[in-house]
Amino acid sequence: MSLLGTVMTALVALLHVWILVLEMVLWTRPAGLRAFRNTPEKARDTAVLAANQGLYNGFLAAGLAFGLLYPAEPAALHIKSFFLACIMVAGVYGAATAARKILYIQTVPAAIALALLWLA
C-alpha cells in the first residue's frame, strides 16, 4: 500500500506539472484552448491570470516532490499530506467556481493518494 500511495502521489505531482505547462505555456495555443474550452480572444485576455494559476500549480507539484524525496518518513508523510490537502481544497473551490470537472481531475486523485498514504 505504501508503494501505491507513493506512486499515486507522484502521479498527482506530474498532473500539476502538466497543469503548469497548460496554464503557463500552452494557454493561448490549441492544446490550452481545447483543455480550457477558451476562445483565442479570451485566452489572450486572461493569459497573465492563467500563468499565475500555473505557477501555483507548480508550487503544489514542487511541494509533493519535496515530500516524496524527503528522507525522514514521518515528516515526509506530513509534507505530502499537507500538499495533497491543499490540492483537494483548491479542486473543490475550482469545481464550485470554475468548472465541475476540476473535482474529478484534481480533487479525486489527490484524495485517493492521501487515503493510500494514510492506509499504508
Side-chain angles (χ1 to χ4, degrees):
M1 193 73 80
S2 177
L3 177 63
L4 203 53
T6 298
V7 169
M8 191 66 187
T9 300
L11 289 174
V12 172
L14 289 174
L15 171 65
H16 281 74
V17 169
W18 176 240
I19 294 170
L20 173 147
V21 171
L22 280 171
E23 293 176 337
M24 294 188 83
V25 179
L26 301 176
W27 186 256
T28 59
R29 295 192 172 96
L33 295 174
R34 275 191 310 273
F36 297 100
R37 297 185 179 127
N38 275 335
T39 63
E41 297 78 24
K42 182 179 176 186
R44 187 182 57 250
D45 292 345
T46 59
V48 172
L49 296 172
N52 190 31
Q53 288 176 183
L55 185 62
Y56 282 99
N57 278 291
F59 290 141
L60 292 171
L64 289 177
F66 178 63
L68 287 165
L69 298 172
Y70 199 80
E73 185 46 44
L77 174 62
H78 293 291
I79 293 166
K80 291 179 281 192
S81 297
F82 172 78
F83 282 97
L84 288 167
C86 288
I87 290 168
M88 291 168 54
V89 170
V92 168
Y93 184 80
T97 61
R100 188 174 188 94
K101 71 178 184 176
I102 295 171
L103 191 67
Y104 307 106
I105 293 170
Q106 190 169 329
T107 306
V108 170
I112 292 169
L114 185 61
L116 289 170
L117 287 173
W118 280 93
L119 289 173

